[in-house]
Amino acid sequence: MPLPRRGWVIVALLLFGGICGAKKDPSRSRNVLLIVADDGGFESGVYNNTAIDTPNLDALAQRSLIFRNAFTSVSSCSPSRASILTGLPQHQNGMYGLHQDVHHFNSFDSVRSLSLLLSQAGIRTGIIGKKHVGPAAVYPFDFAYTEENSSVLQVGRNITRIKMLVRKFMQSQDERPFFLYVAFHDPHRCGHSQPQYGAFCEKFGNGETGMGWIPDWKPQHYSPEKVQVPFFVQDTPAARADLAAQYTTIGRMDQGIGLVLEELHSAGFLNSTLVIYTSDNGIPFPSGRTNLYWSGTAEPLLISSPEHPHRWGQVSSAYASLLDVTPTILDWFSVPYPSYSLFGKRTVSLTGKSLLPALVMEPPWATVFASQSLHEVTMHYPMRAVQRGPLRFIHNLLNRTAFPIDQDFYVSPTFQDLLNRTQAGQPTHWNKTLHSYYYRERWELYDHTTDPTESHNLASDPHYAQAVEELRGLLLKWQWETDDPWVCVPDGVLEDKPSPQCRPLHNEL
């Protein structure tokens, strides 16, 4: 029978308070558990959302360093997962867009992924849930239950199934250290692919007729009137109902995280395992996923180290990127990054950093980069961005075309509400218009100290001219360092030989 809500809080307290007496073995090797939400955001108590109940994430936060300025390097599912697992931005590792079906994007064959490097170093690797990257030779796992050999609903949303797979992995663990990647499919939308389960698959496994039953899940239902509407989402009944459905699936994931951590504890690995929780990209709402605005790239990030208890429960303002995940895990295992090149060019180097120093003392990090090229294969809208402190600078490389809308967001109640209200000439109760959302300036600059909602583009403001020049230079330098094929777009052509350079097109851009 599923535990009552209070029971989950007790499980969390037992798990993280040490009441159960977790096994301690000083000689046991270090391990890593990486937990990634699918299109998750800040809908949790630890990030000050008081409208949703997330006792397991909140309990994990009590044993973690909580990052308030963490960002994905790309706001799209497969490109983000590839960047997390390689430490390379999408334009460098080759996963330009979605991996599955007609989209068919893959990382380059010679990329050295995290799972490959760890396996070569004698570390056992496992993945449960959504993989969404390829090819298999670049992303090998010793233990794998993903959409490639299972139903993604079962391995990504059925928390009882996920619990049993984690138990299977733990029980089959040998003397090697391990890296286990649990990739939930919650709270991704499913109205486009499995509409019978609701806009967010919030009905999947709830025990109603035709919905199946997940024994360990106690569904939490939320009133649309009580959800917290983010500043970038219109405040209308349709959007509120959409958010309420999202909350239910986040609750399922939260309970699943509790089950996963309980299995880690029961197997005796809690005190030897670095636990990382984050999400792949922004939530699937306006200005969220597929955008390089704050709302599309800002991510939750909790890092729980059994070796750094003095940082538990503390909040870090340091800027972190999901490009930092690979160097962090390599650092934890003391595995060096290899020397190799792609296409005979310069030696590949990670531009991310290990986050482990932040577990010792607060670092001064204040800069992150982002790079987006496609989502679906038809959604070519390349953007590059850099955030340095409160300033976010975005380059829309093809701004003269309309910003594209992905399929599952298009059919969502929230976007249909925006379309219908706009067509009918009714107030949208949104901080943008569809026209301004579709058609963007080539350069965008936002100052979060005075404009946290990114409503006023300051790129042409003479008071920010020096900042624009510096940020453009910083972004361009990163593009060259990471061999960005789009580095000369839109007003030049990249010529690699005899030396890389941008040749002008004189196209009036």
Side-chain angles (χ1 to χ4, degrees):
M1 292 293 293
L3 285 171
R5 182 178 302 177
R6 180 173 175 272
W8 284 107
V9 177
I10 293 173
V11 166
L13 291 174
L14 290 175
L15 172 57
F16 293 111
I19 299 174
C20 288
K23 301 175 184 177
K24 288 188 176 182
D25 182 355
S27 66
R28 189 182 296 280
S29 299
R30 286 177 160 190
N31 309 296
V32 170
L33 170 63
L34 173 62
I35 303 173
V36 176
D38 198 355
D39 294 0
F42 297 98
E43 297 76 25
S44 61
V46 61
Y47 283 103
N48 300 318
N49 187 318
T50 58
I52 191 170
D53 189 19
T54 54
N56 296 288
L57 277 173
D58 298 348
L60 176 60
Q62 293 174 14
R63 276 182 58 105
S64 301
L65 179 60
I66 304 159
F67 286 83
R68 67 167 56 164
N69 291 310
F71 299 89
T72 181
S73 68
V74 52
S75 192
S76 177
C77 302
S78 296
S80 180
R81 291 164 191 276
S83 295
I84 290 171
L85 292 174
T86 64
L88 307 175
Q90 56 84 24
H91 64 249
Q92 189 174 21
N93 73 58
M95 188 71 70
Y96 301 138
L98 298 182
H99 171 63
Q100 85 283 5
D101 303 331
V102 66
H103 315 295
H104 198 57
F105 288 100
N106 281 287
S107 290
F108 300 129
D109 292 341
S110 53
V111 165
R112 310 289 179 86
S113 76
L114 177 64
S115 60
L116 179 66
L117 295 177
L118 295 181
S119 180
Q120 291 173 345
I123 295 164
R124 184 174 181 237
T125 61
I127 179 173
I128 298 168
K130 185 174 180 178
K131 187 178 182 184
H132 215 207
V133 293
V138 172
Y139 300 98
F141 286 88
D142 301 319
F143 179 99
Y145 287 84
T146 72
E147 73 277 6
E148 294 180 350
N149 57 15
S150 309
S151 161
V152 71
L153 292 178
Q154 292 298 327
V155 297
R157 299 191 195 260
N158 184 337
I159 61 175
T160 298
R161 174 71 169 151
I162 293 169
K163 174 189 75 173
M164 297 309 298
L165 288 173
V166 172
R167 183 175 300 176
K168 181 177 181 179
F169 178 84
M170 295 296 175
Q171 290 179 344
S172 61
Q173 178 59 22
D174 51 35
E175 295 303 314
R176 293 175 293 171
F178 68 77
F179 165 63
L180 178 60
Y181 172 31
V182 178
F184 285 90
H185 195 24
D186 282 330
H188 194 284
R189 289 188 180 277
C190 73
H192 175 64
S193 55
Q194 294 105 4
Q196 69 274 24
Y197 294 126
F200 280 91
C201 274
E202 70 276 9
K203 300 177 184 178
F204 174 72
N206 68 3
E208 296 178 3
T209 303
M211 297 296 105
W213 182 50
I214 300 174
D216 288 296
W217 179 36
K218 179 178 175 56
Q220 299 153 282
H221 303 290
Y222 293 89
S223 168
E225 291 74 26
K226 295 183 179 180
V227 300
Q228 289 185 7
V229 181
F231 70 84
F232 51 92
V233 178
Q234 75 269 27
D235 193 349
T236 64
R240 282 180 169 274
D242 217 11
L243 288 165
Q246 179 210 31
Y247 279 21
T248 296
T249 62
I250 291 171
R252 179 169 57 206
M253 180 186 68
D254 179 77
Q255 294 177 28
I257 289 172
L259 295 174
V260 170
L261 295 173
E262 188 176 358
E263 292 299 321
L264 183 73
H265 177 267
S266 297
F269 293 114
L270 180 65
N271 292 329
S272 61
T273 302
L274 183 75
V275 179
I276 302 174
Y277 167 76
T278 188
S279 181
D280 54 351
N281 45 247
I283 63 176
F285 284 86
S287 296
R289 187 186 64 193
T290 75
N291 288 271
L292 292 192
Y293 298 122
W294 181 94
S295 44
T297 59
E299 303 300 335
L301 178 61
L302 308 177
I303 300 184
S304 176
S305 166
E307 299 176 12
H308 302 86
H310 68 284
R311 287 289 262 166
W312 289 357
Q314 294 186 13
V315 177
S316 173
S317 296
Y319 282 66
S321 167
L322 297 193
L323 291 175
D324 301 334
V325 171
T326 282
T328 298
I329 295 175
L330 290 178
D331 188 14
W332 179 260
F333 285 120
S334 298
V335 174
Y337 193 71
S339 176
Y340 72 102
S341 64
L342 297 172
F343 311 116
K345 297 182 180 180
R346 77 182 81 200
T347 300
V348 174
S349 61
L350 299 176
T351 56
K353 59 193 174 295
S354 171
L355 298 176
L356 295 187
L359 302 178
V360 178
M361 62 183 297
E362 184 72 4
W365 306 324
T367 305
V368 290
F369 296 92
S371 166
Q372 180 114 0
S373 297
L374 301 99
H375 181 67
E376 295 163 3
V377 71
T378 55
M379 294 177 63
H380 183 228
Y381 197 89
M383 301 169 284
R384 303 294 183 264
V386 57
Q387 178 145 348
R388 185 178 62 182
L391 297 180
R392 172 170 291 263
F393 182 68
I394 303 173
H395 184 191
N396 297 307
L397 279 63
L398 297 182
N399 69 293
R400 292 193 177 186
T401 61
F403 185 80
I405 305 298
D406 59 284
Q407 290 178 317
D408 64 347
F409 177 51
Y410 179 83
V411 300
S412 71
T414 296
F415 190 72
Q416 288 298 307
D417 179 56
L418 283 177
L419 285 179
N420 293 337
R421 287 175 176 272
T422 301
Q423 289 177 313
Q426 299 174 348
T428 61
H429 305 285
W430 189 31
N431 69 335
K432 297 186 179 182
T433 65
L434 274 181
H435 184 272
S436 67
Y437 189 65
Y438 289 147
Y439 298 100
R440 308 178 181 189
E441 299 296 326
R442 177 173 176 180
W443 309 101
E444 296 183 75
L445 176 69
Y446 301 100
D447 187 342
H448 283 231
T449 56
T450 57
D451 181 25
T453 63
E454 297 184 340
S455 299
H456 306 289
N457 182 7
L458 301 170
S460 59
D461 187 327
H463 293 95
Y464 287 85
Q466 182 177 349
V468 167
E469 182 179 358
E470 292 175 356
L471 292 171
R472 282 182 64 175
L474 195 62
L475 185 56
L476 192 62
K477 179 176 180 289
W478 181 71
Q479 288 183 263
W480 282 113
E481 288 175 348
T482 54
D483 295 312
D484 186 354
W486 281 265
V487 67
C488 300
V489 177
D491 43 17
V493 171
L494 175 61
E495 290 288 354
D496 282 335
K497 298 178 181 179
S499 61
Q501 59 181 303
C502 292
R503 304 292 297 273
L505 284 169
H506 305 293
N507 56 8
E508 302 178 4
L509 293 177

